[in-house]
């Protein structure tokens, strides 16, 4: 046979397979479990918030990678603050493909702190 007869298979993927899509309901449950485990014995401390935020985001990213969402990039955002009975509004804007990209969020509160966490799954074309 000649090299001209060999046709390479297309490896370009424009959509994830259904079983590998980012599933917000599953991720929300995962976030909820992580937040409860992480904060169950913690009290608000200004000195620890920066470390907690970084560690929590890293923990969530590692758990998301275990879900085997092929070709997805993950962005995790966490806000930890002191609970004083005041209201907080947090928002974000994203430019993405609504067929493949999505997010999940969860909130944790105890007597001394609150945490709002969001995990974004963006399909990498």
């Amino acid at each position: 046979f000649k090299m001209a007869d060999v046709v390479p298979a297309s490896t370009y993927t424009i959509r994830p397979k259904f079983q590998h899509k980012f599933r917000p309901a599953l991720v929300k449950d995962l976030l909820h479990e992580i937040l409860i485990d992480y904060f169950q014995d913690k009290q608000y401390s200004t000195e620890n918030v920066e470390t907690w935020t970084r560690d929590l985001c890293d923990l969530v990213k590692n758990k998301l990678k275990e879900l085997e969402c092929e070709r997805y990039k993950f962005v995790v955002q966490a806000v930890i603050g002191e609970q004083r009975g005041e209201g907080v509004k947090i928002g974000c804007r994203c430019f993405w493909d609504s067929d493949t990209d999505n997010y999940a969020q969860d909130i944790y509160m105890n007597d001394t702190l609150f945490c709002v966490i969001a995990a974004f799954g963006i399909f990498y074309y």
Side-chain angles (χ1 to χ4, degrees):
F1 77 101
K2 300 176 190 173
M3 280 304 277
D5 296 337
V6 178
V7 178
S10 175
T11 59
Y12 186 72
T13 305
I14 60 169
R15 295 281 180 255
K17 295 178 183 172
F18 180 75
Q19 65 269 24
H20 298 294
K21 284 186 89 167
F22 184 89
R23 294 190 182 97
L26 178 68
V27 175
K28 182 175 176 57
D29 292 342
L30 178 72
L31 292 174
H32 190 73
E33 290 173 17
I34 291 171
L35 289 176
I36 288 173
D37 290 343
Y38 193 81
F39 287 112
Q40 68 182 349
D41 58 349
K42 289 186 171 51
Q43 299 295 314
Y44 183 80
S45 167
T46 306
E47 295 81 28
N48 295 327
V49 169
E50 182 180 345
T51 304
W52 290 348
T53 304
R54 190 177 318 109
D55 292 347
L56 182 61
C57 289
D58 289 342
L59 176 64
V60 170
K61 278 194 284 188
N62 290 332
K63 291 289 187 180
L64 289 173
K65 289 176 185 176
E66 292 174 11
L67 295 178
E68 297 180 3
C69 295
E70 292 178 2
R71 298 180 60 120
Y72 271 87
K73 301 295 179 190
F74 301 109
V75 176
V76 179
Q77 177 185 9
V79 176
I80 300 172
E82 186 173 9
Q83 179 70 276
R84 292 185 176 181
E86 301 164 346
V88 174
K89 290 191 178 203
I90 297 174
C92 70
R93 289 184 177 198
C94 301
F95 184 71
W96 63 21
D97 184 344
S98 60
D99 290 337
T100 59
D101 307 337
N102 218 323
Y103 79 101
Q105 67 178 6
D106 199 37
I107 300 169
Y108 176 86
M109 288 189 291
N110 66 19
D111 293 337
T112 63
L113 65 85
F114 69 89
C115 177
V116 179
I117 191 161
F120 301 87
I122 298 100
F123 187 71
Y124 186 68
Y125 292 97

